[in-house]
Amino acid sequence: MRKKIVAGNWKMNTLPSEGVELAKAVVAGRGEVCECVNFIVCPPFTHLSQVIEAVKGSNIAVGAQDCATETKGAYTGEVAAQMIAALGCKYVILGHSERRQYYGETSETLNKKMAQAYANGLTPIYCVGENLEEREAGNHFAVCKAQIEEVVFNLTEEQFANLVIAYEPVWAIGTGKTATADQAQEIHAYIREVLREKFGALAEECPILYGGSCKPSNAAEIFAKEDVDGGLIGGAALVAGDFLAIGKGF
Ligand code: PGA
């Protein structure tokens, strides 16, 4: 049985006090959702420690939204994986399309970040996905395959066994447009097939999350698909009731 995961990517939203309130509200409502769902919240770096404190004693995990390529040193403005891990974070989102698009992250950068994450005991949530142009040209399979081959294929089996993948079509992120459940299933199954080529039966265990305008009204239909193991949620993760309701989609 693959893990069911609902992860909230808060992006550059919430002030520390608001983040703590949001986390507390998620903790307060957690009991209404099946224990089988693993909730993760990913606040900005500035309030990671306060949010970790706020969820203490609950079974909600905390992740960061990125980490540095280097271990430590003269890299002004960067945050090292070891710093994140020292706070008590368990996860780190890597390769989000906004990082690829606005900050020029490439597979080369991401290989280094993945290595940092694993060296510090963090589970990466590695994001892949095509943009609208690529989808319209029918290149979405090739784009996702390359993003997997260039990074995930460099992992050891042990590392791969501790990986979460998020498929996020760029055209669906923050746009209100969601991939249909069938579109999600089609590409999730394809991604799993690519993973199987390299990692064999281990591919069956890898959670693959859908992301892109996932909300309470569409989560259940998408999560019902065989190869969809949960969601990476942006906008709807900023409202505790919506985030929890997405978890009820299982
Ligand atoms: P969205 O973002 O749910 O606001 O579309 C998803 C994401 O980028 O992780």
Side-chain angles (χ1 to χ4, degrees), residues 14-59:
T14 70
L15 295 175
S17 59
E18 294 164 340
V20 167
E21 283 316 301
L22 176 54
K24 283 184 179 166
V26 174
V27 171
R30 171 71 185 89
E32 298 162 22
V33 188
C34 177
E35 280 289 319
C36 60
V37 181
N38 295 274
F39 280 104
I40 304 167
V41 292
C42 303
F45 290 131
T46 44
H47 27 306
L48 277 175
S49 58
Q50 282 166 274
V51 168
I52 288 168
E53 192 55 38
V55 302
K56 212 173 236 170
S58 75
N59 55 0

mmCIF file of all heavy atoms in Angstrom, residues 14-59:
data_model
loop_
_atom_site.group_PDB
_atom_site.id
_atom_site.type_symbol
_atom_site.label_atom_id
_atom_site.label_comp_id
_atom_site.label_asym_id
_atom_site.label_seq_id
_atom_site.Cartn_x
_atom_site.Cartn_y
_atom_site.Cartn_z
ATOM 1 N N THR A 14 1.631 34.074 4.057
ATOM 2 C CA THR A 14 1.470 34.106 5.518
ATOM 3 C C THR A 14 2.637 34.790 6.223
ATOM 4 O O THR A 14 3.803 34.572 5.907
ATOM 5 C CB THR A 14 1.276 32.695 6.187
ATOM 6 O OG1 THR A 14 2.502 31.962 6.125
ATOM 7 C CG2 THR A 14 0.137 31.922 5.557
ATOM 8 N N LEU A 15 2.290 35.621 7.191
ATOM 9 C CA LEU A 15 3.272 36.152 8.125
ATOM 10 C C LEU A 15 3.417 35.102 9.216
ATOM 11 O O LEU A 15 2.562 34.221 9.336
ATOM 12 C CB LEU A 15 2.769 37.477 8.706
ATOM 13 C CG LEU A 15 2.638 38.600 7.673
ATOM 14 C CD1 LEU A 15 2.022 39.851 8.308
ATOM 15 C CD2 LEU A 15 3.989 38.922 7.047
ATOM 16 N N PRO A 16 4.455 35.171 10.026
ATOM 17 C CA PRO A 16 4.638 34.126 11.036
ATOM 18 C C PRO A 16 3.392 33.876 11.888
ATOM 19 O O PRO A 16 2.985 32.726 12.076
ATOM 20 C CB PRO A 16 5.807 34.651 11.868
ATOM 21 C CG PRO A 16 6.605 35.458 10.887
ATOM 22 C CD PRO A 16 5.593 36.107 9.988
ATOM 23 N N SER A 17 2.758 34.941 12.364
ATOM 24 C CA SER A 17 1.593 34.738 13.236
ATOM 25 C C SER A 17 0.454 34.053 12.473
ATOM 26 O O SER A 17 -0.242 33.192 13.006
ATOM 27 C CB SER A 17 1.123 36.076 13.804
ATOM 28 O OG SER A 17 0.790 36.937 12.735
ATOM 29 N N GLU A 18 0.290 34.420 11.216
ATOM 30 C CA GLU A 18 -0.772 33.803 10.402
ATOM 31 C C GLU A 18 -0.457 32.325 10.130
ATOM 32 O O GLU A 18 -1.347 31.475 10.123
ATOM 33 C CB GLU A 18 -0.909 34.544 9.062
ATOM 34 C CG GLU A 18 -1.391 35.967 9.208
ATOM 35 C CD GLU A 18 -1.150 36.816 7.952
ATOM 36 O OE1 GLU A 18 -0.298 36.447 7.118
ATOM 37 O OE2 GLU A 18 -1.806 37.865 7.820
ATOM 38 N N GLY A 19 0.812 32.048 9.905
ATOM 39 C CA GLY A 19 1.226 30.667 9.651
ATOM 40 C C GLY A 19 0.965 29.785 10.863
ATOM 41 O O GLY A 19 0.507 28.643 10.737
ATOM 42 N N VAL A 20 1.249 30.325 12.040
ATOM 43 C CA VAL A 20 1.022 29.564 13.278
ATOM 44 C C VAL A 20 -0.476 29.310 13.449
ATOM 45 O O VAL A 20 -0.892 28.195 13.770
ATOM 46 C CB VAL A 20 1.608 30.323 14.494
ATOM 47 C CG1 VAL A 20 1.122 29.726 15.802
ATOM 48 C CG2 VAL A 20 3.129 30.311 14.413
ATOM 49 N N GLU A 21 -1.296 30.334 13.186
ATOM 50 C CA GLU A 21 -2.755 30.162 13.292
ATOM 51 C C GLU A 21 -3.245 29.087 12.323
ATOM 52 O O GLU A 21 -4.058 28.241 12.668
ATOM 53 C CB GLU A 21 -3.482 31.486 12.981
ATOM 54 C CG GLU A 21 -3.444 32.488 14.104
ATOM 55 C CD GLU A 21 -3.721 31.865 15.467
ATOM 56 O OE1 GLU A 21 -4.815 31.283 15.622
ATOM 57 O OE2 GLU A 21 -2.840 31.934 16.346
ATOM 58 N N LEU A 22 -2.742 29.144 11.102
ATOM 59 C CA LEU A 22 -3.141 28.177 10.075
ATOM 60 C C LEU A 22 -2.749 26.758 10.509
ATOM 61 O O LEU A 22 -3.561 25.824 10.436
ATOM 62 C CB LEU A 22 -2.468 28.562 8.737
ATOM 63 C CG LEU A 22 -2.652 27.639 7.535
ATOM 64 C CD1 LEU A 22 -4.119 27.373 7.243
ATOM 65 C CD2 LEU A 22 -1.984 28.270 6.287
ATOM 66 N N ALA A 23 -1.532 26.620 10.981
ATOM 67 C CA ALA A 23 -1.063 25.294 11.416
ATOM 68 C C ALA A 23 -1.917 24.778 12.576
ATOM 69 O O ALA A 23 -2.295 23.602 12.600
ATOM 70 C CB ALA A 23 0.408 25.378 11.817
ATOM 71 N N LYS A 24 -2.230 25.659 13.504
ATOM 72 C CA LYS A 24 -3.044 25.247 14.663
ATOM 73 C C LYS A 24 -4.436 24.818 14.220
ATOM 74 O O LYS A 24 -5.020 23.879 14.765
ATOM 75 C CB LYS A 24 -3.159 26.390 15.677
ATOM 76 C CG LYS A 24 -1.896 26.569 16.508
ATOM 77 C CD LYS A 24 -2.114 27.643 17.560
ATOM 78 C CE LYS A 24 -0.871 27.819 18.418
ATOM 79 N NZ LYS A 24 -0.944 29.067 19.209
ATOM 80 N N ALA A 25 -4.976 25.524 13.231
ATOM 81 C CA ALA A 25 -6.312 25.170 12.739
ATOM 82 C C ALA A 25 -6.283 23.815 12.032
ATOM 83 O O ALA A 25 -7.239 23.035 12.128
ATOM 84 C CB ALA A 25 -6.822 26.262 11.791
ATOM 85 N N VAL A 26 -5.192 23.518 11.351
ATOM 86 C CA VAL A 26 -5.065 22.204 10.697
ATOM 87 C C VAL A 26 -4.991 21.119 11.777
ATOM 88 O O VAL A 26 -5.662 20.089 11.690
ATOM 89 C CB VAL A 26 -3.833 22.159 9.758
ATOM 90 C CG1 VAL A 26 -3.620 20.743 9.209
ATOM 91 C CG2 VAL A 26 -3.995 23.147 8.597
ATOM 92 N N VAL A 27 -4.210 21.377 12.815
ATOM 93 C CA VAL A 27 -4.095 20.405 13.923
ATOM 94 C C VAL A 27 -5.480 20.190 14.556
ATOM 95 O O VAL A 27 -5.907 19.060 14.791
ATOM 96 C CB VAL A 27 -3.094 20.900 14.995
ATOM 97 C CG1 VAL A 27 -3.145 20.015 16.240
ATOM 98 C CG2 VAL A 27 -1.681 20.942 14.420
ATOM 99 N N ALA A 28 -6.202 21.280 14.770
ATOM 100 C CA ALA A 28 -7.501 21.194 15.448
ATOM 101 C C ALA A 28 -8.506 20.355 14.656
ATOM 102 O O ALA A 28 -9.324 19.649 15.240
ATOM 103 C CB ALA A 28 -8.052 22.603 15.688
ATOM 104 N N GLY A 29 -8.422 20.432 13.317
ATOM 105 C CA GLY A 29 -9.403 19.712 12.496
ATOM 106 C C GLY A 29 -8.922 18.349 12.023
ATOM 107 O O GLY A 29 -9.658 17.619 11.364
ATOM 108 N N ARG A 30 -7.688 18.021 12.352
ATOM 109 C CA ARG A 30 -7.054 16.795 11.835
ATOM 110 C C ARG A 30 -7.879 15.529 12.120
ATOM 111 O O ARG A 30 -7.951 14.616 11.295
ATOM 112 C CB ARG A 30 -5.646 16.676 12.464
ATOM 113 C CG ARG A 30 -4.920 15.366 12.207
ATOM 114 C CD ARG A 30 -4.494 15.312 10.767
ATOM 115 N NE ARG A 30 -3.884 14.045 10.386
ATOM 116 C CZ ARG A 30 -4.554 12.987 9.932
ATOM 117 N NH1 ARG A 30 -5.874 13.005 9.870
ATOM 118 N NH2 ARG A 30 -3.921 11.907 9.537
ATOM 119 N N GLY A 31 -8.502 15.509 13.298
ATOM 120 C CA GLY A 31 -9.242 14.335 13.738
ATOM 121 C C GLY A 31 -10.419 13.971 12.842
ATOM 122 O O GLY A 31 -10.889 12.841 12.850
ATOM 123 N N GLU A 32 -10.881 14.935 12.041
ATOM 124 C CA GLU A 32 -12.023 14.670 11.158
ATOM 125 C C GLU A 32 -11.625 13.888 9.912
ATOM 126 O O GLU A 32 -12.473 13.443 9.150
ATOM 127 C CB GLU A 32 -12.638 15.999 10.673
ATOM 128 C CG GLU A 32 -13.194 16.861 11.786
ATOM 129 C CD GLU A 32 -13.370 18.313 11.319
ATOM 130 O OE1 GLU A 32 -13.473 18.563 10.103
ATOM 131 O OE2 GLU A 32 -13.375 19.187 12.204
ATOM 132 N N VAL A 33 -10.320 13.780 9.695
ATOM 133 C CA VAL A 33 -9.845 13.125 8.469
ATOM 134 C C VAL A 33 -9.198 11.787 8.815
ATOM 135 O O VAL A 33 -8.528 11.665 9.849
ATOM 136 C CB VAL A 33 -8.821 14.021 7.724
ATOM 137 C CG1 VAL A 33 -8.477 13.426 6.363
ATOM 138 C CG2 VAL A 33 -9.348 15.432 7.578
ATOM 139 N N CYS A 34 -9.366 10.821 7.933
ATOM 140 C CA CYS A 34 -8.792 9.483 8.109
ATOM 141 C C CYS A 34 -7.318 9.542 8.545
ATOM 142 O O CYS A 34 -6.524 10.288 7.971
ATOM 143 C CB CYS A 34 -8.899 8.732 6.783
ATOM 144 S SG CYS A 34 -8.159 7.109 6.824
ATOM 145 N N GLU A 35 -6.997 8.737 9.546
ATOM 146 C CA GLU A 35 -5.610 8.603 10.017
ATOM 147 C C GLU A 35 -4.680 8.167 8.890
ATOM 148 O O GLU A 35 -3.473 8.364 8.947
ATOM 149 C CB GLU A 35 -5.546 7.535 11.120
ATOM 150 C CG GLU A 35 -5.979 8.006 12.487
ATOM 151 C CD GLU A 35 -4.970 8.958 13.106
ATOM 152 O OE1 GLU A 35 -3.760 8.708 12.975
ATOM 153 O OE2 GLU A 35 -5.408 9.954 13.704
ATOM 154 N N CYS A 36 -5.277 7.550 7.868
ATOM 155 C CA CYS A 36 -4.463 7.002 6.770
ATOM 156 C C CYS A 36 -3.850 8.097 5.892
ATOM 157 O O CYS A 36 -2.977 7.822 5.080
ATOM 158 C CB CYS A 36 -5.335 6.088 5.899
ATOM 159 S SG CYS A 36 -6.731 6.964 5.162
ATOM 160 N N VAL A 37 -4.300 9.338 6.052
ATOM 161 C CA VAL A 37 -3.755 10.429 5.239
ATOM 162 C C VAL A 37 -2.582 11.082 5.971
ATOM 163 O O VAL A 37 -2.702 11.449 7.142
ATOM 164 C CB VAL A 37 -4.833 11.498 4.939
ATOM 165 C CG1 VAL A 37 -4.270 12.616 4.078
ATOM 166 C CG2 VAL A 37 -6.052 10.871 4.282
ATOM 167 N N ASN A 38 -1.467 11.193 5.293
ATOM 168 C CA ASN A 38 -0.299 11.874 5.867
ATOM 169 C C ASN A 38 -0.332 13.331 5.440
ATOM 170 O O ASN A 38 -0.199 13.631 4.249
ATOM 171 C CB ASN A 38 0.995 11.228 5.348
ATOM 172 C CG ASN A 38 1.135 9.801 5.812
ATOM 173 O OD1 ASN A 38 1.630 9.551 6.900
ATOM 174 N ND2 ASN A 38 0.666 8.859 5.003
ATOM 175 N N PHE A 39 -0.519 14.218 6.399
ATOM 176 C CA PHE A 39 -0.531 15.652 6.085
ATOM 177 C C PHE A 39 0.871 16.243 6.284
ATOM 178 O O PHE A 39 1.560 15.916 7.262
ATOM 179 C CB PHE A 39 -1.498 16.399 7.005
ATOM 180 C CG PHE A 39 -2.941 16.289 6.596
ATOM 181 C CD1 PHE A 39 -3.809 15.458 7.281
ATOM 182 C CD2 PHE A 39 -3.430 17.031 5.526
ATOM 183 C CE1 PHE A 39 -5.145 15.361 6.912
ATOM 184 C CE2 PHE A 39 -4.771 16.943 5.156
ATOM 185 C CZ PHE A 39 -5.627 16.104 5.847
ATOM 186 N N ILE A 40 1.239 17.117 5.363
ATOM 187 C CA ILE A 40 2.526 17.827 5.463
ATOM 188 C C ILE A 40 2.223 19.306 5.201
ATOM 189 O O ILE A 40 1.458 19.615 4.278
ATOM 190 C CB ILE A 40 3.521 17.336 4.386
ATOM 191 C CG1 ILE A 40 3.726 15.817 4.456
ATOM 192 C CG2 ILE A 40 4.865 18.059 4.510
ATOM 193 C CD1 ILE A 40 4.439 15.236 3.228
ATOM 194 N N VAL A 41 2.794 20.193 5.990
ATOM 195 C CA VAL A 41 2.669 21.621 5.665
ATOM 196 C C VAL A 41 4.061 22.188 5.385
ATOM 197 O O VAL A 41 5.025 21.843 6.055
ATOM 198 C CB VAL A 41 1.963 22.439 6.775
ATOM 199 C CG1 VAL A 41 0.487 22.047 6.891
ATOM 200 C CG2 VAL A 41 2.649 22.291 8.129
ATOM 201 N N CYS A 42 4.143 23.030 4.365
ATOM 202 C CA CYS A 42 5.435 23.598 3.955
ATOM 203 C C CYS A 42 5.369 25.118 3.980
ATOM 204 O O CYS A 42 5.048 25.763 2.975
ATOM 205 C CB CYS A 42 5.803 23.105 2.556
ATOM 206 S SG CYS A 42 5.870 21.306 2.420
ATOM 207 N N PRO A 43 5.641 25.709 5.141
ATOM 208 C CA PRO A 43 5.609 27.169 5.260
ATOM 209 C C PRO A 43 6.911 27.799 4.753
ATOM 210 O O PRO A 43 7.864 27.088 4.466
ATOM 211 C CB PRO A 43 5.478 27.395 6.770
ATOM 212 C CG PRO A 43 5.797 26.098 7.432
ATOM 213 C CD PRO A 43 5.973 25.047 6.393
ATOM 214 N N PRO A 44 6.950 29.121 4.675
ATOM 215 C CA PRO A 44 8.208 29.798 4.339
ATOM 216 C C PRO A 44 9.264 29.520 5.418
ATOM 217 O O PRO A 44 8.930 29.227 6.565
ATOM 218 C CB PRO A 44 7.825 31.283 4.336
ATOM 219 C CG PRO A 44 6.342 31.307 4.141
ATOM 220 C CD PRO A 44 5.826 30.078 4.808
ATOM 221 N N PHE A 45 10.535 29.656 5.046
ATOM 222 C CA PHE A 45 11.646 29.409 5.981
ATOM 223 C C PHE A 45 11.491 30.177 7.299
ATOM 224 O O PHE A 45 11.815 29.669 8.352
ATOM 225 C CB PHE A 45 12.980 29.874 5.374
ATOM 226 C CG PHE A 45 13.467 29.025 4.237
ATOM 227 C CD1 PHE A 45 13.886 29.611 3.045
ATOM 228 C CD2 PHE A 45 13.549 27.648 4.358
ATOM 229 C CE1 PHE A 45 14.368 28.842 1.992
ATOM 230 C CE2 PHE A 45 14.030 26.858 3.312
ATOM 231 C CZ PHE A 45 14.436 27.464 2.130
ATOM 232 N N THR A 46 11.008 31.433 7.173
ATOM 233 C CA THR A 46 10.983 32.328 8.340
ATOM 234 C C THR A 46 10.146 31.812 9.499
ATOM 235 O O THR A 46 10.392 32.174 10.637
ATOM 236 C CB THR A 46 10.396 33.699 7.934
ATOM 237 O OG1 THR A 46 9.250 33.451 7.112
ATOM 238 C CG2 THR A 46 11.413 34.521 7.176
ATOM 239 N N HIS A 47 9.133 30.995 9.207
ATOM 240 C CA HIS A 47 8.354 30.496 10.340
ATOM 241 C C HIS A 47 8.305 28.977 10.433
ATOM 242 O O HIS A 47 7.422 28.425 11.045
ATOM 243 C CB HIS A 47 6.969 31.123 10.476
ATOM 244 C CG HIS A 47 6.313 31.637 9.235
ATOM 245 N ND1 HIS A 47 6.897 32.527 8.384
ATOM 246 C CD2 HIS A 47 5.076 31.396 8.737
ATOM 247 C CE1 HIS A 47 6.052 32.804 7.403
ATOM 248 N NE2 HIS A 47 4.957 32.132 7.587
ATOM 249 N N LEU A 48 9.299 28.334 9.850
ATOM 250 C CA LEU A 48 9.371 26.871 9.985
ATOM 251 C C LEU A 48 9.388 26.456 11.452
ATOM 252 O O LEU A 48 8.642 25.565 11.864
ATOM 253 C CB LEU A 48 10.645 26.341 9.313
ATOM 254 C CG LEU A 48 10.588 26.112 7.803
ATOM 255 C CD1 LEU A 48 11.966 25.708 7.291
ATOM 256 C CD2 LEU A 48 9.554 25.054 7.453
ATOM 257 N N SER A 49 10.243 27.103 12.244
ATOM 258 C CA SER A 49 10.374 26.611 13.625
ATOM 259 C C SER A 49 9.099 26.859 14.426
ATOM 260 O O SER A 49 8.695 26.014 15.218
ATOM 261 C CB SER A 49 11.607 27.173 14.319
ATOM 262 O OG SER A 49 11.558 28.553 14.323
ATOM 263 N N GLN A 50 8.432 27.995 14.183
ATOM 264 C CA GLN A 50 7.180 28.258 14.912
ATOM 265 C C GLN A 50 6.074 27.276 14.502
ATOM 266 O O GLN A 50 5.272 26.858 15.328
ATOM 267 C CB GLN A 50 6.711 29.693 14.659
ATOM 268 C CG GLN A 50 7.487 30.724 15.473
ATOM 269 C CD GLN A 50 7.223 32.111 14.942
ATOM 270 O OE1 GLN A 50 7.885 32.560 14.006
ATOM 271 N NE2 GLN A 50 6.245 32.797 15.514
ATOM 272 N N VAL A 51 6.063 26.929 13.229
ATOM 273 C CA VAL A 51 5.048 25.982 12.765
ATOM 274 C C VAL A 51 5.352 24.580 13.306
ATOM 275 O O VAL A 51 4.440 23.850 13.718
ATOM 276 C CB VAL A 51 4.930 26.011 11.216
ATOM 277 C CG1 VAL A 51 4.103 24.842 10.697
ATOM 278 C CG2 VAL A 51 4.322 27.340 10.768
ATOM 279 N N ILE A 52 6.621 24.227 13.347
ATOM 280 C CA ILE A 52 6.996 22.922 13.919
ATOM 281 C C ILE A 52 6.524 22.844 15.371
ATOM 282 O O ILE A 52 5.962 21.845 15.811
ATOM 283 C CB ILE A 52 8.522 22.693 13.785
ATOM 284 C CG1 ILE A 52 8.865 22.415 12.310
ATOM 285 C CG2 ILE A 52 8.997 21.552 14.680
ATOM 286 C CD1 ILE A 52 10.326 22.456 11.974
ATOM 287 N N GLU A 53 6.701 23.930 16.082
ATOM 288 C CA GLU A 53 6.250 24.001 17.477
ATOM 289 C C GLU A 53 4.715 23.855 17.540
ATOM 290 O O GLU A 53 4.180 23.131 18.371
ATOM 291 C CB GLU A 53 6.693 25.369 18.051
ATOM 292 C CG GLU A 53 6.574 25.532 19.540
ATOM 293 C CD GLU A 53 7.303 24.469 20.343
ATOM 294 O OE1 GLU A 53 8.409 24.056 19.943
ATOM 295 O OE2 GLU A 53 6.745 24.048 21.391
ATOM 296 N N ALA A 54 4.037 24.538 16.626
ATOM 297 C CA ALA A 54 2.560 24.541 16.636
ATOM 298 C C ALA A 54 1.960 23.160 16.329
ATOM 299 O O ALA A 54 0.858 22.859 16.771
ATOM 300 C CB ALA A 54 2.028 25.568 15.630
ATOM 301 N N VAL A 55 2.675 22.334 15.555
ATOM 302 C CA VAL A 55 2.109 21.015 15.199
ATOM 303 C C VAL A 55 2.663 19.900 16.096
ATOM 304 O O VAL A 55 2.307 18.735 15.922
ATOM 305 C CB VAL A 55 2.341 20.631 13.703
ATOM 306 C CG1 VAL A 55 1.739 21.677 12.782
ATOM 307 C CG2 VAL A 55 3.808 20.416 13.401
ATOM 308 N N LYS A 56 3.515 20.269 17.043
ATOM 309 C CA LYS A 56 4.116 19.268 17.928
ATOM 310 C C LYS A 56 3.043 18.395 18.585
ATOM 311 O O LYS A 56 2.020 18.897 19.030
ATOM 312 C CB LYS A 56 4.925 19.991 19.016
ATOM 313 C CG LYS A 56 6.133 19.203 19.460
ATOM 314 C CD LYS A 56 7.000 20.004 20.398
ATOM 315 C CE LYS A 56 8.417 20.076 19.847
ATOM 316 N NZ LYS A 56 9.249 21.021 20.573
ATOM 317 N N GLY A 57 3.290 17.091 18.621
ATOM 318 C CA GLY A 57 2.328 16.192 19.262
ATOM 319 C C GLY A 57 1.221 15.732 18.325
ATOM 320 O O GLY A 57 0.469 14.828 18.647
ATOM 321 N N SER A 58 1.107 16.371 17.142
ATOM 322 C CA SER A 58 0.114 15.923 16.159
ATOM 323 C C SER A 58 0.858 15.033 15.158
ATOM 324 O O SER A 58 2.074 14.941 15.199
ATOM 325 C CB SER A 58 -0.485 17.119 15.416
ATOM 326 O OG SER A 58 0.449 17.618 14.473
ATOM 327 N N ASN A 59 0.115 14.403 14.249
ATOM 328 C CA ASN A 59 0.846 13.637 13.232
ATOM 329 C C ASN A 59 0.912 14.407 11.918
ATOM 330 O O ASN A 59 0.776 13.848 10.843
ATOM 331 C CB ASN A 59 0.260 12.232 13.059
ATOM 332 C CG ASN A 59 -1.221 12.290 12.749
ATOM 333 O OD1 ASN A 59 -1.787 13.389 12.664
ATOM 334 N ND2 ASN A 59 -1.845 11.152 12.564
#
